[in-house]
Amino acid sequence: MTQLTHPPFAPKVLQTLQSLGIRTQADIRSRGATGTFLLLKAAGLTVTRSTLWQLAAAMRNAGAHDLEPSEKNALLEAVRLHPPVAVFPPASEMEFFMRQALAQAKQSAAAGEIPVGAVAVKNGEIIAAAHNTCISSCNIGRHAEISVLEAAGRTLQNYRLDGCDIYITLEPCSMCAGALIQARVARVVYGAREPKTGAAGSVVDLFGNIRLNRRTAIAGGVLADECGALLQQFFHARRQTRPTQ
């Protein structure tokens, strides 16, 4: 593996890349030049177009001067169209908060509701927690995400949840994805994918839709097996209790 060096990267760029776990050409390739560029910005580094050229050139072991004008224009357009990027917490921290969301989901299951739970986090502290209550409330809007946004808004006395993270055991649907975007949540972390209704890439990707107010970065797959198993167990038990005809 070819290690990244100075030159061509400026010392601060190289230091930030290393802090993000990006140390080789292969690391850049795995994220793409535009994704890596936006990650540097999300980390608080002031970067210029030349950094983008250097990242793209490093992917193919070339120099920035080798890029054609058309390639540079394509990179700039890719940056414009790229889904939001954020620096997410360490895996151990995300797993901790996802376990709190799982505890909420288990409350749903115990009440006969589809087991989905969510927590809202700000500055490393849980400020709200909720789970699905659609059946008991006779309200399709009582998804865990909608309820946790409402509870967090009451806590902060603001419907805009700038700087907040939302952890959800299941990939949000289009209704919930829209609410998360409208609330200006900074980061969404979900557990299991939802192949039938997921709006974070499984069916549609509202978070990456350039026509919407794109502010919310998303990461999935945190404790995915545990989150998915809880849903599978719930639906299996429900099928077992259905009367036979």
Side-chain angles (χ1 to χ4, degrees):
M1 292 187 294
T2 303
Q3 298 288 321
L4 305 179
T5 61
H6 163 66
F9 295 105
K12 285 187 177 180
V13 172
L14 190 61
Q15 182 180 6
T16 305
L17 285 169
Q18 291 173 344
S19 72
L20 295 168
I22 303 172
R23 296 181 172 84
T24 68
Q25 288 177 333
D27 293 332
I28 297 177
R29 290 192 192 102
S30 69
R31 294 168 173 81
T34 54
T36 305
F37 177 76
L38 290 169
L39 192 59
L40 287 170
K41 291 184 68 174
L45 188 69
T46 300
V47 288
T48 63
R49 291 181 175 184
S50 63
T51 305
L52 179 59
W53 313 151
Q54 290 163 1
L55 290 167
M59 289 176 58
R60 62 188 196 193
N61 202 26
H65 59 275
D66 294 324
L67 296 179
E68 298 290 338
S70 60
E71 293 178 286
K72 293 181 178 180
N73 288 334
L75 285 166
L76 292 175
E77 181 67 2
V79 168
R80 187 180 74 85
L81 296 175
H82 201 283
V85 172
V87 178
F88 282 83
S92 58
E93 182 177 330
M94 291 194 289
E95 288 176 3
F96 171 80
F97 288 122
M98 188 60 73
R99 292 198 186 282
Q100 313 314 304
L102 267 168
Q104 289 291 316
K106 290 174 182 177
Q107 291 187 45
S108 287
E113 303 270 359
I114 295 175
V116 180
V119 297
V121 177
K122 185 164 187 176
N123 298 327
E125 299 288 339
I126 294 176
I127 62 170
H131 54 270
N132 267 4
T133 57
C134 294
I135 297 172
S136 61
S137 66
C138 301
N139 184 347
I140 192 61
R142 292 294 90 189
H143 282 199
E145 299 94 313
I146 303 296
S147 294
V148 85
L149 290 175
E150 180 181 341
R154 287 197 302 268
T155 298
L156 298 178
Q157 288 296 288
N158 196 332
Y159 71 96
R160 288 181 173 170
L161 304 182
D162 294 309
C164 289
D165 298 336
I166 304 294
Y167 288 77
I168 318 157
T169 57
L170 184 66
E171 180 182 359
C173 67
S174 56
M175 174 181 71
C176 295
L180 291 161
I181 292 168
Q182 290 294 324
R184 300 190 180 183
V185 170
R187 301 177 295 196
V188 169
V189 180
Y190 71 85
R193 289 179 63 250
E194 173 45 276
K196 294 182 179 179
T197 62
S202 290
V203 178
V204 295
D205 183 9
L206 292 185
F207 297 95
N209 191 320
I210 192 171
R211 292 170 293 183
L212 301 178
N213 184 15
R214 300 181 306 156
R215 293 173 178 265
T216 304
I218 190 152
V222 177
L223 299 183
D225 290 343
E226 292 182 43
C227 294
L230 182 61
L231 284 157
Q232 290 171 2
Q233 292 163 8
F234 173 82
F235 285 113
H236 176 73
R238 194 160 76 170
R239 285 192 296 271
Q240 295 294 105
T241 58
R242 284 178 181 170
T244 57
Q245 295 183 353

